[in-house]
Amino acid sequence: MTPRPPDRRAPFTRPRKLRYSKLKPGPGQSSEEVRADQRARLRSATIELTAEHGYSSLTVRGISRTAGVSTRTLYAHFENVEECFASTYRWIMRRAADQLPEGGTEGEEWEADIRAWIRTLMASMAANPDAGRLVLVDAYDGGPAMLREIEAATANLEQKLAEGPISMQIAQAILAGVERVLRTKILEGQSSELRRIEGELADWILRVGAMEPGQARASGAAPAGQQPLPPTQSRKDPAFAVFEAIGGNRGRILAAVARLSVDKGYWNLTATSLRREAGVSRREFDALFDDVGSCYAEAGKVLLTAAARVAIAKSDGSASWPDRVEQIVNDLCTAVARSPLLARLGFLDVFSPGGAGLLRRERLIKRSTGWVRASTPNGEPLTQLPTEASMAASWRLIQVELASGTGVGRLVEAPQLVTSLLLDSSARSTNREGQRNERT
């Protein structure tokens, strides 16, 4: 069993009043009905306690008392807390999958289905933000088994959406953008705002849905190194120059966590082995990082930020903005192709530290969105939602290509679609939003 990480929210320390009413006793109730009612109450209690206190504070006693059942009853349904949580996650995701448009529709019918899906999804998330937080945020603290559940559930949603008139790549981009918008509002405590932005999000989806990889903006230069991703040999990886440039205890610790994660795997890292590898004391480590997870997440963020800065610095400021974005995207994909360490810490294993990795990735997307919006020529402003959704979609496309088993071989296609996402979907969504405001 994987140890659950600490959480900043208040721990559950005492029983609470019964929140979920039991079935009233009476004739005619089957054992299946009773079991279904018990499972529903256990799932509801899991959602509530996770939202209030975090995944790490879940206990058998806390869930069972909140649900109004005995601990024996919980064990009759689930092997342990982890299985109860995973079952709750799967239940929520099944409901999300049921809301997706049916395959086989095209044209105006597909557009109507997309708008109906987003309308239903936003209403559901606005009414049940705790359930949304569980699947979009807290599930990432559930360890490697839960991360596999998340990836499988995400792939299932992508596959179902791709049954419509769009490719798998486009389905992946759309769902990543939608997920980003939902997660941001939930983390900011603004789930009540979801209904207000449903039209803008649907517009973005339809714009992306009209793209196809073969129709994406033609790339002037493909990223270098279009070969399968080589084995990670951390000590020879060019990304280590970033840690060396940082220097001091921070640079040594970040380099150490990168080396050890490659040699041993993230889940075998310990603070002791990390301090020993970096040659720092516990006091020196604690002054810089909360734990191994935050250190690992910081290493990935540092590598991605450095690669982005190099790509931006290399871009020609005199070139047109679309050409500059295209060059930056190509240079970033080239950097990923040449650095297995950057590919692993920045994309493939970014969620290994759980919530720490997720939140650092979310902040990177926000910062990248801010740069794209700020870098546009005067008179061509981009709105926040479509640009941010496109940035999250771009990150997902690159992650999928790296995880596909073909390594960087298909990254020649990803930059073209990423460039089109960042330019066309954002700009045209802005224009469409302006036209709608004018009509209003």
Side-chain angles (χ1 to χ4, degrees), residues 229-277:
L229 192 66
T232 304
Q233 295 178 321
S234 61
R235 298 174 194 275
K236 298 180 180 180
D237 196 291
F240 267 84
V242 176
F243 301 138
E244 293 172 1
I246 294 173
N249 286 341
R250 183 167 179 263
R252 287 196 294 273
I253 293 171
L254 292 176
V257 78
R259 284 194 297 268
L260 291 179
S261 66
V262 171
D263 295 342
K264 299 182 177 182
Y266 172 79
W267 296 103
N268 293 316
L269 294 180
T270 65
T272 300
S273 63
L274 179 53
R275 293 194 301 268
R276 185 183 300 116
E277 178 74 14

Short mmCIF file of all heavy atoms in Angstrom, two decimals, residues 229-277:
data_model
loop_
_atom_site.label_atom_id
_atom_site.label_comp_id
_atom_site.label_asym_id
_atom_site.label_seq_id
_atom_site.Cartn_x
_atom_site.Cartn_y
_atom_site.Cartn_z
N LEU A 229 12.35 8.02 -28.39
CA LEU A 229 12.98 8.62 -27.22
C LEU A 229 14.03 7.67 -26.66
O LEU A 229 13.73 6.52 -26.32
CB LEU A 229 11.92 8.89 -26.15
CG LEU A 229 12.32 9.76 -24.98
CD1 LEU A 229 12.61 11.18 -25.45
CD2 LEU A 229 11.22 9.76 -23.94
N PRO A 230 15.29 8.09 -26.55
CA PRO A 230 16.33 7.20 -26.05
C PRO A 230 16.18 6.97 -24.56
O PRO A 230 15.51 7.73 -23.86
CB PRO A 230 17.63 7.97 -26.37
CG PRO A 230 17.21 9.42 -26.36
CD PRO A 230 15.81 9.42 -26.89
N PRO A 231 16.83 5.93 -24.04
CA PRO A 231 16.80 5.72 -22.59
C PRO A 231 17.37 6.93 -21.86
O PRO A 231 18.29 7.58 -22.34
CB PRO A 231 17.68 4.48 -22.39
CG PRO A 231 17.70 3.80 -23.72
CD PRO A 231 17.60 4.89 -24.74
N THR A 232 16.78 7.22 -20.72
CA THR A 232 17.24 8.38 -19.96
C THR A 232 18.55 8.07 -19.27
O THR A 232 18.61 7.21 -18.39
CB THR A 232 16.18 8.78 -18.92
OG1 THR A 232 14.96 9.01 -19.58
CG2 THR A 232 16.59 10.05 -18.18
N GLN A 233 19.60 8.75 -19.67
CA GLN A 233 20.89 8.65 -19.00
C GLN A 233 21.13 10.02 -18.35
O GLN A 233 21.70 10.91 -18.95
CB GLN A 233 22.00 8.30 -19.99
CG GLN A 233 21.82 6.91 -20.61
CD GLN A 233 22.90 6.60 -21.62
OE1 GLN A 233 23.31 7.45 -22.38
NE2 GLN A 233 23.36 5.35 -21.60
N SER A 234 20.65 10.12 -17.14
CA SER A 234 20.51 11.44 -16.53
C SER A 234 21.82 12.22 -16.48
O SER A 234 21.84 13.42 -16.71
CB SER A 234 19.93 11.29 -15.12
OG SER A 234 20.79 10.52 -14.31
N ARG A 235 22.92 11.56 -16.19
CA ARG A 235 24.17 12.30 -15.99
C ARG A 235 24.72 12.87 -17.29
O ARG A 235 25.58 13.74 -17.28
CB ARG A 235 25.20 11.39 -15.30
CG ARG A 235 24.73 10.93 -13.92
CD ARG A 235 25.67 9.93 -13.29
NE ARG A 235 25.04 9.28 -12.15
CZ ARG A 235 25.03 9.78 -10.92
NH1 ARG A 235 25.62 10.93 -10.68
NH2 ARG A 235 24.43 9.14 -9.94
N LYS A 236 24.24 12.37 -18.44
CA LYS A 236 24.68 12.89 -19.73
C LYS A 236 23.63 13.79 -20.36
O LYS A 236 23.85 14.31 -21.44
CB LYS A 236 24.98 11.72 -20.66
CG LYS A 236 26.10 10.80 -20.18
CD LYS A 236 26.33 9.68 -21.17
CE LYS A 236 27.44 8.75 -20.70
NZ LYS A 236 27.67 7.64 -21.66
N ASP A 237 22.49 13.94 -19.74
CA ASP A 237 21.39 14.69 -20.33
C ASP A 237 21.71 16.18 -20.36
O ASP A 237 22.18 16.74 -19.35
CB ASP A 237 20.11 14.46 -19.51
CG ASP A 237 18.86 14.86 -20.25
OD1 ASP A 237 18.68 16.08 -20.45
OD2 ASP A 237 18.09 13.99 -20.63
N PRO A 238 21.44 16.86 -21.48
CA PRO A 238 21.75 18.29 -21.56
C PRO A 238 20.96 19.14 -20.57
O PRO A 238 21.37 20.26 -20.25
CB PRO A 238 21.38 18.65 -23.01
CG PRO A 238 20.45 17.56 -23.46
CD PRO A 238 20.91 16.34 -22.75
N ALA A 239 19.84 18.64 -20.07
CA ALA A 239 19.04 19.42 -19.13
C ALA A 239 19.76 19.66 -17.82
O ALA A 239 19.41 20.58 -17.07
CB ALA A 239 17.71 18.71 -18.86
N PHE A 240 20.80 18.87 -17.52
CA PHE A 240 21.50 19.06 -16.26
C PHE A 240 22.24 20.37 -16.19
O PHE A 240 22.58 20.85 -15.11
CB PHE A 240 22.45 17.89 -15.99
CG PHE A 240 21.81 16.82 -15.16
CD1 PHE A 240 21.04 15.86 -15.76
CD2 PHE A 240 21.95 16.81 -13.79
CE1 PHE A 240 20.42 14.88 -15.01
CE2 PHE A 240 21.33 15.85 -13.02
CZ PHE A 240 20.56 14.87 -13.63
N ALA A 241 22.48 20.98 -17.34
CA ALA A 241 23.12 22.29 -17.34
C ALA A 241 22.25 23.32 -16.63
O ALA A 241 22.76 24.29 -16.05
CB ALA A 241 23.39 22.74 -18.78
N VAL A 242 20.93 23.10 -16.64
CA VAL A 242 20.01 24.02 -15.95
C VAL A 242 20.25 23.97 -14.45
O VAL A 242 20.34 25.02 -13.79
CB VAL A 242 18.54 23.65 -16.27
CG1 VAL A 242 17.59 24.54 -15.47
CG2 VAL A 242 18.28 23.77 -17.76
N PHE A 243 20.41 22.79 -13.89
CA PHE A 243 20.65 22.66 -12.46
C PHE A 243 22.03 23.20 -12.08
O PHE A 243 22.19 23.81 -11.02
CB PHE A 243 20.52 21.20 -12.03
CG PHE A 243 19.18 20.60 -12.32
CD1 PHE A 243 19.08 19.31 -12.83
CD2 PHE A 243 18.02 21.31 -12.12
CE1 PHE A 243 17.85 18.74 -13.10
CE2 PHE A 243 16.77 20.75 -12.39
CZ PHE A 243 16.69 19.46 -12.89
N GLU A 244 22.99 22.97 -12.95
CA GLU A 244 24.33 23.48 -12.68
C GLU A 244 24.34 25.00 -12.67
O GLU A 244 25.05 25.63 -11.87
CB GLU A 244 25.30 22.95 -13.74
CG GLU A 244 25.53 21.44 -13.66
CD GLU A 244 26.34 20.92 -14.83
OE1 GLU A 244 26.72 21.75 -15.69
OE2 GLU A 244 26.56 19.69 -14.90
N ALA A 245 23.54 25.60 -13.56
CA ALA A 245 23.47 27.07 -13.60
C ALA A 245 22.84 27.64 -12.34
O ALA A 245 23.19 28.73 -11.88
CB ALA A 245 22.68 27.52 -14.83
N ILE A 246 21.91 26.91 -11.74
CA ILE A 246 21.28 27.37 -10.50
C ILE A 246 22.31 27.35 -9.37
O ILE A 246 22.43 28.31 -8.60
CB ILE A 246 20.08 26.48 -10.14
CG1 ILE A 246 18.97 26.67 -11.18
CG2 ILE A 246 19.56 26.80 -8.73
CD1 ILE A 246 17.81 25.71 -11.01
N GLY A 247 23.04 26.26 -9.27
CA GLY A 247 24.11 26.17 -8.29
C GLY A 247 23.62 26.13 -6.85
O GLY A 247 22.42 26.12 -6.58
N GLY A 248 24.53 26.14 -5.93
CA GLY A 248 24.19 26.14 -4.51
C GLY A 248 23.44 24.90 -4.09
O GLY A 248 23.36 23.90 -4.82
N ASN A 249 22.89 24.94 -2.89
CA ASN A 249 22.14 23.79 -2.37
C ASN A 249 20.92 23.48 -3.23
O ASN A 249 20.60 22.31 -3.46
CB ASN A 249 21.69 24.07 -0.94
CG ASN A 249 22.84 23.97 0.05
OD1 ASN A 249 23.88 23.38 -0.24
ND2 ASN A 249 22.67 24.57 1.22
N ARG A 250 20.26 24.53 -3.70
CA ARG A 250 19.06 24.30 -4.50
C ARG A 250 19.40 23.57 -5.79
O ARG A 250 18.72 22.59 -6.16
CB ARG A 250 18.38 25.63 -4.82
CG ARG A 250 17.06 25.50 -5.59
CD ARG A 250 16.29 26.81 -5.58
NE ARG A 250 15.05 26.71 -6.32
CZ ARG A 250 14.89 27.10 -7.59
NH1 ARG A 250 15.93 27.66 -8.23
NH2 ARG A 250 13.75 26.98 -8.20
N GLY A 251 20.43 23.99 -6.49
CA GLY A 251 20.82 23.32 -7.72
C GLY A 251 21.25 21.89 -7.48
O GLY A 251 20.92 20.99 -8.26
N ARG A 252 22.00 21.66 -6.39
CA ARG A 252 22.46 20.29 -6.08
C ARG A 252 21.29 19.38 -5.73
O ARG A 252 21.25 18.21 -6.14
CB ARG A 252 23.47 20.33 -4.93
CG ARG A 252 24.83 20.89 -5.33
CD ARG A 252 25.88 20.54 -4.27
NE ARG A 252 25.59 21.23 -3.00
CZ ARG A 252 26.02 22.45 -2.71
NH1 ARG A 252 26.73 23.13 -3.61
NH2 ARG A 252 25.74 23.00 -1.55
N ILE A 253 20.33 19.90 -4.99
CA ILE A 253 19.18 19.07 -4.60
C ILE A 253 18.32 18.74 -5.81
O ILE A 253 17.87 17.60 -5.98
CB ILE A 253 18.34 19.80 -3.52
CG1 ILE A 253 19.14 19.91 -2.23
CG2 ILE A 253 17.04 19.05 -3.27
CD1 ILE A 253 18.48 20.79 -1.18
N LEU A 254 18.08 19.72 -6.67
CA LEU A 254 17.28 19.47 -7.87
C LEU A 254 17.97 18.47 -8.79
O LEU A 254 17.32 17.59 -9.37
CB LEU A 254 17.01 20.78 -8.61
CG LEU A 254 16.10 21.78 -7.89
CD1 LEU A 254 16.00 23.08 -8.69
CD2 LEU A 254 14.71 21.19 -7.68
N ALA A 255 19.27 18.59 -8.94
CA ALA A 255 20.01 17.63 -9.75
C ALA A 255 19.93 16.24 -9.13
O ALA A 255 19.80 15.23 -9.83
CB ALA A 255 21.46 18.08 -9.91
N ALA A 256 20.02 16.18 -7.82
CA ALA A 256 19.97 14.88 -7.13
C ALA A 256 18.62 14.20 -7.29
O ALA A 256 18.56 12.99 -7.54
CB ALA A 256 20.29 15.09 -5.64
N VAL A 257 17.55 14.95 -7.17
CA VAL A 257 16.23 14.33 -7.29
C VAL A 257 16.00 13.85 -8.72
O VAL A 257 15.36 12.82 -8.95
CB VAL A 257 15.10 15.30 -6.84
CG1 VAL A 257 14.80 16.35 -7.90
CG2 VAL A 257 13.83 14.53 -6.51
N ALA A 258 16.55 14.58 -9.70
CA ALA A 258 16.43 14.14 -11.08
C ALA A 258 17.21 12.85 -11.31
O ALA A 258 16.71 11.89 -11.92
CB ALA A 258 16.93 15.24 -12.02
N ARG A 259 18.45 12.80 -10.82
CA ARG A 259 19.27 11.59 -11.00
C ARG A 259 18.64 10.38 -10.33
O ARG A 259 18.52 9.30 -10.93
CB ARG A 259 20.67 11.82 -10.43
CG ARG A 259 21.58 12.69 -11.29
CD ARG A 259 23.03 12.57 -10.83
NE ARG A 259 23.20 13.07 -9.47
CZ ARG A 259 23.54 14.31 -9.17
NH1 ARG A 259 23.69 15.20 -10.13
NH2 ARG A 259 23.70 14.69 -7.91
N LEU A 260 18.23 10.54 -9.08
CA LEU A 260 17.70 9.40 -8.33
C LEU A 260 16.36 8.93 -8.88
O LEU A 260 16.06 7.73 -8.84
CB LEU A 260 17.56 9.76 -6.85
CG LEU A 260 18.88 9.97 -6.09
CD1 LEU A 260 18.60 10.34 -4.65
CD2 LEU A 260 19.74 8.72 -6.16
N SER A 261 15.55 9.86 -9.37
CA SER A 261 14.25 9.45 -9.92
C SER A 261 14.43 8.61 -11.17
O SER A 261 13.63 7.70 -11.45
CB SER A 261 13.40 10.68 -10.23
OG SER A 261 13.97 11.45 -11.27
N VAL A 262 15.48 8.89 -11.94
CA VAL A 262 15.77 8.09 -13.12
C VAL A 262 16.35 6.73 -12.72
O VAL A 262 15.96 5.70 -13.26
CB VAL A 262 16.75 8.83 -14.06
CG1 VAL A 262 17.23 7.91 -15.18
CG2 VAL A 262 16.07 10.06 -14.64
N ASP A 263 17.24 6.72 -11.76
CA ASP A 263 17.91 5.48 -11.35
C ASP A 263 16.99 4.54 -10.57
O ASP A 263 17.03 3.33 -10.75
CB ASP A 263 19.14 5.81 -10.50
CG ASP A 263 20.20 6.56 -11.28
OD1 ASP A 263 20.16 6.52 -12.53
OD2 ASP A 263 21.06 7.19 -10.64
N LYS A 264 16.15 5.13 -9.69
CA LYS A 264 15.36 4.30 -8.78
C LYS A 264 13.86 4.39 -9.00
O LYS A 264 13.11 3.53 -8.52
CB LYS A 264 15.65 4.71 -7.32
CG LYS A 264 17.11 4.54 -6.91
CD LYS A 264 17.30 4.92 -5.44
CE LYS A 264 18.73 4.70 -4.98
NZ LYS A 264 18.90 5.03 -3.54
N GLY A 265 13.40 5.41 -9.69
CA GLY A 265 11.96 5.64 -9.82
C GLY A 265 11.48 6.56 -8.72
O GLY A 265 11.97 6.49 -7.58
N TYR A 266 10.51 7.39 -9.03
CA TYR A 266 10.05 8.39 -8.05
C TYR A 266 9.58 7.74 -6.75
O TYR A 266 9.89 8.24 -5.66
CB TYR A 266 8.93 9.24 -8.65
CG TYR A 266 8.30 10.15 -7.62
CD1 TYR A 266 8.91 11.33 -7.24
CD2 TYR A 266 7.10 9.79 -6.98
CE1 TYR A 266 8.37 12.14 -6.27
CE2 TYR A 266 6.54 10.60 -6.01
CZ TYR A 266 7.18 11.78 -5.66
OH TYR A 266 6.64 12.57 -4.68
N TRP A 267 8.86 6.65 -6.85
CA TRP A 267 8.23 6.08 -5.65
C TRP A 267 9.22 5.40 -4.72
O TRP A 267 8.86 4.98 -3.63
CB TRP A 267 7.12 5.11 -6.06
CG TRP A 267 6.03 5.84 -6.78
CD1 TRP A 267 5.79 5.87 -8.11
CD2 TRP A 267 5.07 6.72 -6.18
NE1 TRP A 267 4.74 6.70 -8.39
CE2 TRP A 267 4.27 7.24 -7.24
CE3 TRP A 267 4.81 7.13 -4.88
CZ2 TRP A 267 3.24 8.13 -7.01
CZ3 TRP A 267 3.77 8.03 -4.66
CH2 TRP A 267 3.00 8.51 -5.71
N ASN A 268 10.47 5.29 -5.17
CA ASN A 268 11.51 4.73 -4.29
C ASN A 268 12.41 5.81 -3.69
O ASN A 268 13.38 5.49 -2.99
CB ASN A 268 12.38 3.73 -5.07
CG ASN A 268 11.60 2.49 -5.47
OD1 ASN A 268 10.86 1.94 -4.66
ND2 ASN A 268 11.76 2.06 -6.70
N LEU A 269 12.09 7.06 -3.95
CA LEU A 269 12.88 8.15 -3.39
C LEU A 269 12.58 8.34 -1.91
O LEU A 269 11.43 8.19 -1.48
CB LEU A 269 12.59 9.47 -4.13
CG LEU A 269 13.00 9.57 -5.60
CD1 LEU A 269 12.62 10.93 -6.14
CD2 LEU A 269 14.49 9.34 -5.74
N THR A 270 13.60 8.69 -1.16
CA THR A 270 13.42 9.07 0.24
C THR A 270 14.18 10.36 0.49
O THR A 270 15.15 10.67 -0.23
CB THR A 270 13.95 7.99 1.19
OG1 THR A 270 15.38 7.88 1.03
CG2 THR A 270 13.29 6.64 0.92
N ALA A 271 13.76 11.09 1.48
CA ALA A 271 14.44 12.33 1.82
C ALA A 271 15.89 12.06 2.22
O ALA A 271 16.80 12.83 1.89
CB ALA A 271 13.69 13.06 2.93
N THR A 272 16.12 10.95 2.90
CA THR A 272 17.47 10.62 3.35
C THR A 272 18.39 10.38 2.16
O THR A 272 19.52 10.91 2.10
CB THR A 272 17.44 9.38 4.25
OG1 THR A 272 16.62 9.64 5.39
CG2 THR A 272 18.84 9.02 4.70
N SER A 273 17.94 9.55 1.22
CA SER A 273 18.78 9.26 0.06
C SER A 273 18.98 10.51 -0.80
O SER A 273 20.06 10.70 -1.38
CB SER A 273 18.16 8.15 -0.79
OG SER A 273 16.89 8.55 -1.32
N LEU A 274 17.98 11.35 -0.85
CA LEU A 274 18.10 12.58 -1.63
C LEU A 274 19.11 13.53 -1.01
O LEU A 274 19.96 14.11 -1.70
CB LEU A 274 16.73 13.25 -1.74
CG LEU A 274 16.63 14.57 -2.50
CD1 LEU A 274 17.23 14.44 -3.89
CD2 LEU A 274 15.17 15.01 -2.58
N ARG A 275 19.06 13.68 0.30
CA ARG A 275 20.02 14.56 0.99
C ARG A 275 21.44 14.02 0.85
O ARG A 275 22.39 14.78 0.66
CB ARG A 275 19.64 14.70 2.46
CG ARG A 275 18.33 15.45 2.70
CD ARG A 275 18.21 15.85 4.16
NE ARG A 275 18.25 14.71 5.07
CZ ARG A 275 17.19 14.06 5.51
NH1 ARG A 275 15.97 14.43 5.11
NH2 ARG A 275 17.31 13.05 6.35
N ARG A 276 21.55 12.70 0.94
CA ARG A 276 22.88 12.10 0.82
C ARG A 276 23.44 12.32 -0.59
O ARG A 276 24.62 12.66 -0.76
CB ARG A 276 22.81 10.61 1.12
CG ARG A 276 24.17 9.91 1.13
CD ARG A 276 24.02 8.42 1.36
NE ARG A 276 23.38 8.13 2.62
CZ ARG A 276 22.20 7.52 2.74
NH1 ARG A 276 21.55 7.13 1.66
NH2 ARG A 276 21.68 7.28 3.92
N GLU A 277 22.62 12.14 -1.61
CA GLU A 277 23.06 12.34 -2.99
C GLU A 277 23.45 13.79 -3.24
O GLU A 277 24.44 14.06 -3.96
CB GLU A 277 21.93 11.93 -3.95
CG GLU A 277 22.23 12.14 -5.43
CD GLU A 277 23.20 11.12 -5.99
OE1 GLU A 277 23.44 10.09 -5.31
OE2 GLU A 277 23.70 11.34 -7.09
#
